[in-house]
Amino acid sequence: MRAVIFGASGLLGRSVLRAFDGMTVTGTGFSRSADGLVTVDATSADDIERLLGRDQPDVVVNCVGERRPDVWASTPAQARGRNVDAARLIAEGASRCGARLLHISSDYVFDGKAAPYRPDSVPNPLNTYGRWKLLAEQAVRAACPDAAILRLPVLYGPVQFAAETNLTEIARQVGAGARVELDDVCVRYPTHADDAAEVCRRFAGALLRGQRLGSVAHWSAEQGFTKYRTALLIARRFDLPAGHIRAGEADAVSGERPVDCRLDCQDLPAALGPVRRRLFSSEFPPVVEPWLTPTRPVSN
Ligand SMILES: NC(=O)c1ccc[n+]([C@@H]2O[C@H](COP(=O)([O-])OP(=O)(O)OC[C@H]3O[C@@H](n4cnc5c(N)ncnc54)[C@H](OP(=O)(O)O)[C@@H]3O)[C@@H](O)[C@H]2O)c1
């Protein structure tokens, strides 16, 4: 199997690249194109065409996206390009070269008012990011009708810097000791990037075997955590003071974040076999340990 992973320098893409080890695989990066990755601007049809024309992959996985709220606010056109235009262009490229496409989307396409959500539940995004992810799904379907879309919840895994994920940033706030209020209403289901990547690997194999999976699938871990409970988990696990962390409801009150987007995932294990679902409560602390104090050595 020949594969191209777009966005292989990111949190999920790095895990997907590892999961595809042993296959003939090309990973792309953009600003972080080190370690053998090919630099591709996924908002450039020419860049995509050049790579796919050269590699002629059987399967393409699109992990490109922009999920940093500060970037949505400061450069919305660029952020939209990375979430929507890139999805369309990659889908058009995959379609032209006859590759099967697995496109990564988000639980934020839902409004969080009627969990659990099935793959055929009606999306109703509350914020700009969710609307972009939904537009991307629609563009992918139009450009590549046999594409598969995998929706995932918030991810965690080994990070390259503390702010790379919101969850590691919460842990850093616990260690920093400064007063902070964290939302205790909106529940998320943090999922290990390696588990999501294993789903991608099996999904890609199933697509190539012609297995019928449906055009949209969901994958998620099972434990629900608010930001506040995530902070308490870290404080307890490392015996750190937690008095500076207050429970709030800012995210819920803003109306911009869904309260509960739990994804109904029962279809995938039935189709792909049992997939590991790491427990956030035991797997997250080791991931964030290097970031709790600034003097600890950095690991990746
Ligand atoms: N992380 C989550 O919690 C989460 C949850 C649900 C869904 N998702 C979705 O999963 C996908 C992967 O997310 P992630 O967390 O791995 O994101 P990430 O860590 O921010 O990585 C984003 C990837 O997109 C690449 N990229 C950005 N702009 C690009 C451009 N113009 N051309 C080519 N590549 C570009 C980045 O390359 P460089 O870094 O090299 O610039 C990086 O490889 C995204 O679609 C995201 O929306 C993520």
Side-chain angles (χ1 to χ4, degrees):
M1 174 161 83
R2 298 172 67 88
V4 168
I5 319 289
F6 286 99
S9 54
L11 177 72
L12 177 62
R14 296 194 298 269
S15 289
V16 174
L17 200 58
R18 282 194 296 273
F20 277 56
D21 191 31
M23 303 174 203
T24 306
V25 58
T26 301
T28 80
F30 184 50
S31 63
R32 293 180 283 176
S33 290
D35 303 330
L37 299 182
V38 177
T39 304
V40 167
D41 180 357
T43 62
S44 156
D46 288 346
D47 272 21
I48 292 168
E49 198 61 46
R50 203 172 302 122
L51 178 65
L52 296 183
R54 184 196 80 175
D55 280 21
Q56 294 293 317
D58 306 300
V59 66
V60 168
V61 183
N62 178 13
C63 300
V64 170
E66 180 52 80
R67 57 179 169 73
R68 293 169 295 178
D70 54 322
V71 182
W72 312 337
S74 61
T75 51
Q78 187 183 72
R80 185 194 154 101
R82 292 173 179 184
N83 284 307
V84 184
D85 303 337
R88 175 177 53 79
L89 292 171
I90 289 170
E92 288 171 353
S95 185
R96 259 196 302 276
C97 75
R100 298 303 307 267
L101 171 64
L102 178 57
H103 170 82
I104 306 300
S105 188
S106 161
D107 59 352
Y108 267 40
V109 298
F110 296 117
D111 60 17
K113 295 173 185 162
Y117 291 95
R118 294 214 17 96
D120 60 356
S121 296
V122 179
N124 181 35
L126 296 183
N127 63 20
T128 305
Y129 174 69
R131 284 189 283 277
W132 285 335
K133 297 317 274 187
L134 182 57
L135 284 172
E137 290 187 4
Q138 291 162 348
V140 165
R141 268 195 219 103
C144 190
D146 70 349
I149 293 167
L150 177 64
R151 295 187 184 127
L152 300 171
V154 65
L155 301 172
Y156 68 96
V159 293
Q160 296 181 327
F161 47 96
E164 191 178 9
T165 73
N166 176 264
L167 290 167
T168 17
E169 185 59 13
I170 291 172
R172 195 196 56 74
Q173 289 171 323
V174 175
R179 247 180 125 74
V180 62
E181 186 174 300
L182 295 173
D183 184 274
D184 192 29
V185 180
C186 295
V187 184
R188 305 184 295 175
Y189 298 84
T191 297
H192 200 292
D194 287 350
D195 292 349
E198 175 60 15
V199 168
C200 291
R201 188 185 70 79
R202 293 203 206 172
F203 211 121
L207 286 176
L208 290 180
R209 287 193 301 275
Q211 196 175 329
R212 290 180 69 83
L213 290 164
S215 59
V216 181
H218 288 172
W219 186 252
S220 171
E222 288 168 302
Q223 288 181 310
F225 274 79
T226 63
K227 287 182 182 174
Y228 175 69
R229 282 163 206 278
T230 300
L232 290 192
L233 168 75
I234 295 305
R236 284 198 195 108
R237 170 70 169 73
F238 295 103
D239 203 18
L240 294 167
H244 61 293
I245 307 159
R246 295 288 160 86
E249 49 182 25
D251 290 342
V253 168
S254 76
E256 289 268 302
R257 286 188 74 233
V259 168
D260 185 348
C261 279
R262 183 156 56 91
L263 298 173
D264 181 327
C265 305
Q266 58 187 333
D267 294 352
L268 267 193
L272 303 180
V275 181
R276 188 172 175 192
R277 284 168 136 174
R278 273 167 247 234
L279 288 177
F280 182 68
S281 53
S282 54
E283 298 291 334
F284 183 55
V287 163
V288 296
E289 191 173 6
W291 308 101
L292 290 173
T293 62
T295 50
R296 299 288 285 273
V298 171
S299 72
N300 178 25

